[in-house]
Amino acid sequence: MNERRILVVAHAKRPDTVTAALRVIDALREAGAVPVIPAPDRDELIAADPRFAGIGLLGEDVAADDLELAIVLGGDGTILRAAELVRDSGAPVLGINMGHVGFLAEIDREDMDAAVRRVIDRDYEVEERLALSVRVKDVAGHVVYETWALNEATVEKASRERMIEVVIEIDGRPLSSFGCDGMVVSTPTGSTAYNFSAGGPVIWPTVEAITVVPLSAHALFAKPLVVGPEASVAIEMLERTDGSGILWCDGRRSHELPPGARVVVRRSSRPVRLARLHPTAFTERLVRKFQLPVAGWRGAS
């Protein structure tokens, strides 16, 4: 029988997370599975606790394609990093929330031991989330950068003092041009992240759609847009822009945008796969995250 290799991703600078990661690793080993840690984390984890020495390294000892699953201990930022690590393998990601309530984590820390047992028993389902394919083209139309995003792709001004001038295109047709601080193109998963802060709509994860939200736009028609999942969204940096912009994807990957650059965002052919142990209503996540008042609710009649 083939060995089961499971990636464990933890924030090395948080003692409670390091301790939890060791508990997960011990449980995996006791069950006969092979724990794996990201190679870039090795030194920090060993510095935090020598027991991390000798654990297989992703990308050196174990290939991403050989992973069964990734267990992530941390918040949404750590889960986004794990999704990046397993992007090319298709391994699902199971988030264990170690801090404040996040939207990507499946369970909280107090349920961690039970969650690991269910992983060992393969007692989980996989939920696929819409992701974005992002390409940057230069003035000549050549693709100069390609990446992806689970939450959002943002085009922002690179200088605090200057706006960027953009023209927005939907499905190959120009919609409007204006000066702004930036544009956010978001998935439903990312609708509670930067999109939310920018005034965009909250979209339930089961809805397939892409949102386009301007940041501080100087225009009458600069409202949040919701387009179909197969729509193509393009943001062109007009050549009259005084200064450069920058593309950020999930706040992790960036690329400079000179005047004339064109950012094309579409649905990715490869979704992000999240491991789910039990269904939790998205409404409940919203109430917990934002501490929404629900006192007086009498329930469905």
Side-chain angles (χ1 to χ4, degrees):
M1 184 176 179
N2 293 333
E3 288 183 318
R4 301 175 62 188
R5 297 175 176 87
I6 296 177
L7 181 67
V8 179
V9 182
H11 199 303
K13 294 182 179 179
R14 290 189 53 177
D16 60 334
T17 301
V18 169
T19 300
L22 287 168
R23 281 175 57 190
V24 170
I25 287 168
D26 287 343
L28 293 174
R29 282 174 164 164
E30 288 175 10
V34 178
V36 182
I37 59 174
D41 298 354
R42 169 178 49 191
D43 292 343
E44 283 192 344
L45 287 171
I46 292 175
D49 194 302
R51 286 176 288 177
F52 283 100
I55 297 176
L57 301 176
L58 179 66
E60 294 185 14
D61 305 312
V62 177
D65 286 343
D66 294 330
L67 293 174
E68 176 182 320
L69 179 133
I71 297 177
V72 188
L73 299 107
D76 284 355
T78 309
I79 294 172
L80 287 170
R81 177 169 178 259
E84 184 177 345
L85 290 169
V86 303
R87 177 64 178 163
D88 294 331
S89 73
V93 175
L94 174 69
I96 299 176
N97 184 49
M98 299 297 293
H100 59 280
V101 177
F103 283 97
L104 293 175
E106 171 67 1
I107 58 162
D108 294 326
R109 69 175 75 194
E110 55 266 23
D111 299 319
M112 180 181 68
D113 293 332
V116 175
R117 285 195 298 271
R118 291 186 60 177
V119 166
I120 291 168
D121 293 338
R122 292 192 174 94
D123 182 17
Y124 60 86
E125 297 180 353
V126 176
E127 175 183 315
E128 294 190 340
R129 292 288 184 92
L130 183 152
L132 300 175
S133 166
V134 186
R135 297 194 298 170
V136 178
K137 296 183 177 181
D138 61 16
V139 178
H142 300 130
V143 176
V144 295
Y145 181 71
E146 288 189 75
T147 187
W148 66 282
L150 171 58
N151 273 356
E152 74 279 310
T154 66
V155 172
E156 303 175 28
K157 62 181 184 178
S159 170
R160 289 183 60 189
E161 293 79 19
R162 296 181 176 90
M163 292 189 307
I164 54 175
E165 297 280 341
V166 301
V167 60
I168 310 305
E169 171 193 296
I170 306 293
D171 286 333
R173 303 301 303 168
L175 180 66
S176 185
S177 66
F178 41 74
C180 61
D181 286 349
M183 298 291 301
V184 179
V185 183
S186 171
T187 66
T189 300
S191 70
T192 50
Y194 200 165
N195 167 84
F196 179 85
S197 301
V202 174
I203 299 180
W204 263 238
T206 52
V207 176
E208 294 199 330
I210 296 171
T211 66
V212 185
V213 182
L215 300 173
S216 302
H218 291 228
L220 179 62
F221 187 83
K223 301 296 183 183
L225 307 174
V226 180
V227 300
E230 305 306 328
S232 171
V233 177
I235 302 164
E236 292 186 1
M237 293 271 297
L238 295 176
E239 294 195 53
R240 66 173 181 260
T241 294
D242 182 17
S244 61
I246 187 167
L247 166 72
W248 280 99
C249 289
D250 290 340
R252 296 190 50 80
R253 299 169 295 280
S254 64
H255 186 80
E256 186 177 349
L257 301 171
R262 174 180 169 89
V263 178
V264 182
V265 183
R266 293 185 173 91
R267 176 184 194 156
S268 172
S269 60
R270 188 187 308 159
V272 170
R273 307 177 78 229
L274 300 179
R276 294 304 193 196
L277 302 179
H278 49 75
T280 300
F282 185 65
T283 308
E284 293 180 12
R285 291 180 186 262
L286 287 175
V287 169
R288 291 173 63 197
K289 174 71 174 182
F290 297 110
Q291 299 181 346
L292 303 177
V294 292
W297 180 64
R298 297 177 59 192
S301 58

